[in-house]
Amino acid sequence: MSDILAINGGRPVRDKYLPYGQHWIDEEDIEAVADVLKSDYLTTGPKARELEEKIAEYVGAKYAVVVASGTAALHAACFAAGIKEGDEVITTPITFAASANCVLYQGGIPVFADIDPKTYNIDTNQIEKKITKKTKAIIPVDFTGQAVDLDGILQIAEYYNLIVIEDAAHAIGTEYKGKKIGAISHMTEFSLHPVKHITTGEGGIITTNNGEYQKKLSLFRTHGITRDKELLTNKKEGSWYYEQIELGYNYRITDIQCALGISQLKKIDSFIKKRREIAETYNRYLSQIDGIIIPYQEPYSNSSWHLYIIQIELEKFKAGRKEIFEALKAENIGVNVHYIPVYYHPYYQKLGYKKGLCPNAEKLYERIITLPLFPKMNNKDIEDVVKAIEKVLGYYRK
Ligand SMILES: *Cc1c(COP(=O)(O)O)cnc(C)c1O
């Protein structure tokens, strides 16, 4: 291996680029999709119901509603929670924009509470400080797959009469105090995007134990239209009759996609096992390299590991995060940064959010790099990542 960094013209650690995340589709998945294509039903139908039942069972919830994306799932959950014009909803800045955008869709106001610098998850004490008379809900994110402090958050929610919509896009299969997440919060959202644990191509699902929420979520998925006799205002019309009773959207998912989801779900345990093994291997190697902080895990959480994020102790290096990041990328390692604090985005700046709002989140953002993590990675891939880190950090070390 050449010591000259690839970014300076040396030979990269790998010839082939290693992405940061990737789906794993096998022949069984392909057959399951092809079967639906040969059937009579393409859009939301029997496969969607089957996926709902199976995911509800997997997480231990009474109900699940599957929709077109994780973002649609969050939007539907905000609708079901009754978020409307002027309502405040507390979330974390270290997340994908969807966790806050879903509040804006409903005319609500996202309020950012700072993170715990150790776990990178929303800090329960900071949540309480942000509560006002207008606060209606909390959207905590199980960031990277690590469960948030659910007992603490639910206790606050109960005291202030708030609804908890858990954004568990990173965390299907994660356990909190030995119990799978999905039925602990009032509603839990999972994403079925290809970089997440299991995929439908695009898709999302909300799980809940509350039948009222389940009804509202289902209505929202299809324009707010119902044929349910119990919900109709006019019960005298014929069997053609339906009513739009809410303003919903077309957030339906196809049975083509749901067949893929059902097939993927059969493999979720092996996918998560691989993710946990890779994270452990990273921990073992990287804890020996000076200048890196590996991800701290709370004992109450058994993460399903969507992301593996390292913090660079920048004071130990001659280069900044940007140089280190670009040098790793030149070695053909698919590094990434999760996330730019949501309120840094120009759209949020225009809404009036100011830098300095969440100092822990802002400091973390300067120092993080996401490493590749997906079940199909082999030992050589993991070793290449470690080699590239040793090479790059070795070069820039003070
Ligand atoms: C992936 C993700 C979502 C949902 O994303 P979709 O692409 O719409 O499925 C929401 N929140 C977080 C934190 C995510 O990572």
Side-chain angles (χ1 to χ4, degrees):
M1 188 180 77
S2 156
D3 283 343
I4 303 170
L5 297 189
I7 203 165
N8 296 333
R11 184 161 172 223
V13 166
R14 290 171 65 90
D15 293 331
K16 192 165 171 263
Y17 187 74
L18 179 70
Y20 93 89
Q22 200 174 56
H23 56 267
W24 190 344
I25 301 291
D26 64 15
E27 282 304 317
E28 193 187 20
D29 294 326
I30 294 166
E31 255 174 55
V33 170
D35 284 347
V36 173
L37 288 171
K38 292 177 209 153
S39 79
D40 290 336
Y41 220 92
L42 297 186
T43 188
T44 314
K47 291 294 170 192
R49 283 191 289 278
E50 186 182 339
L51 182 62
E52 287 173 344
E53 278 163 24
K54 291 200 160 139
I55 288 191
E57 190 194 339
Y58 176 75
V59 304
K62 278 196 193 138
Y63 309 102
V65 178
V66 65
V67 293
S69 69
T71 305
L74 285 168
H75 186 188
C78 284
F79 167 80
I83 304 305
K84 52 185 190 331
E85 197 79 36
D87 289 344
E88 293 178 2
V89 178
I90 299 170
T91 191
T92 170
I94 298 291
T95 184
F96 183 55
S99 316
N101 288 346
C102 60
V103 178
L104 295 175
Y105 298 156
Q106 287 297 102
I109 303 162
V111 173
F112 297 100
D114 207 355
I115 57 159
D116 173 344
K118 226 164 131 189
T119 63
Y120 317 157
N121 269 331
I122 195 165
D123 180 336
T124 310
N125 296 319
Q126 295 297 326
I127 294 176
E128 197 159 10
K129 287 188 188 150
K130 297 282 179 180
I131 292 174
T132 72
K133 283 199 182 75
K134 291 186 194 162
T135 310
K136 290 285 153 55
I138 308 168
I139 304 183
V141 178
D142 302 301
F143 181 59
T144 71
Q146 172 160 229
V148 289
D149 167 26
L150 280 168
D151 282 348
I153 292 171
L154 285 163
Q155 206 181 340
I156 290 177
E158 195 173 343
Y159 187 82
Y160 293 96
N161 198 19
L162 309 174
I163 295 169
V164 178
I165 301 168
E166 188 177 347
D167 181 346
H170 294 186
I172 191 165
T174 285
E175 286 159 1
Y176 174 75
K177 297 188 177 170
K179 186 169 179 268
K180 273 209 189 77
I181 58 164
I184 302 172
S185 299
H186 304 113
M187 286 179 267
T188 306
E189 168 264 338
F190 300 103
S191 166
L192 302 167
H193 180 279
V195 297
K196 307 286 164 59
H197 298 74
I198 56 166
T199 188
T200 52
E202 292 281 358
I205 196 157
I206 312 103
T207 56
T208 182
N209 278 343
N210 183 318
E212 288 304 308
Y213 291 150
Q214 187 252 353
K215 276 193 194 133
K216 285 184 179 161
L217 295 164
S218 307
L219 265 180
F220 197 71
R221 172 173 65 188
T222 177
H223 307 279
I225 285 175
T226 185
R227 289 173 183 277
D228 184 344
K229 273 271 186 313
E230 270 180 38
L231 299 174
L232 295 178
T233 57
N234 178 345
K235 300 181 200 296
K236 292 196 202 95
E237 296 292 332
S239 58
W240 74 86
Y241 190 69
Y242 60 84
E243 284 178 353
Q244 184 191 332
I245 57 173
E246 297 280 2
L247 183 60
Y249 290 72
N250 177 355
Y251 276 164
R252 289 187 300 267
I253 186 170
T254 66
D255 262 20
I256 308 166
Q257 293 166 291
C258 292
L260 177 58
I262 295 163
S263 180
Q264 287 262 298
L265 188 63
K266 290 182 192 160
K267 289 164 280 212
I268 195 169
D269 289 337
S270 69
F271 286 169
I272 291 173
K273 185 163 175 275
K274 273 300 297 277
R275 285 178 175 276
R276 286 179 176 149
E277 282 166 9
I278 295 165
E280 266 174 41
T281 309
Y282 272 147
N283 282 341
R284 219 172 36 246
Y285 283 123
L286 299 179
S287 55
Q288 288 161 32
I289 302 177
D290 187 38
I292 293 179
I293 298 172
I294 61 167
Y296 168 82
Q297 297 291 294
E298 286 287 354
Y300 57 63
S301 169
N302 181 15
S303 178
S304 60
W305 288 101
H306 167 49
L307 298 174
Y308 190 97
I309 294 177
I310 57 170
Q311 253 192 89
I312 310 288
E313 295 179 283
L314 290 171
E315 49 291 349
K316 294 185 176 168
F317 300 95
K318 289 176 288 203
R321 191 262 307 267
K322 185 175 163 191
E323 287 77 16
I324 294 169
F325 182 94
E326 300 298 354
L328 287 168
K329 206 163 176 186
E331 300 296 334
N332 275 329
I333 305 300
V335 284
N336 215 312
V337 172
H338 294 92
Y339 289 93
I340 303 158
V342 173
Y343 61 79
Y344 274 22
H345 290 294
Y347 185 84
Y348 279 83
Q349 291 284 304
K350 268 189 273 168
L351 291 178
Y353 295 88
K354 297 271 185 294
K355 292 195 178 174
L357 190 60
C358 297
N360 291 341
E362 295 182 14
K363 182 169 179 229
L364 181 76
Y365 167 61
E366 300 296 326
R367 298 154 65 96
I368 43 175
I369 295 178
T370 307
L371 305 182
L373 173 58
F374 54 96
K376 222 176 181 176
M377 274 176 83
N378 58 34
N379 284 335
K380 164 86 168 49
D381 295 331
I382 305 171
E383 280 161 20
D384 285 346
V385 176
V386 175
K387 261 188 222 160
I389 290 173
E390 280 172 339
K391 182 179 169 184
V392 168
L393 291 189
Y395 179 81
Y396 287 124
R397 197 176 298 282
K398 270 184 191 163

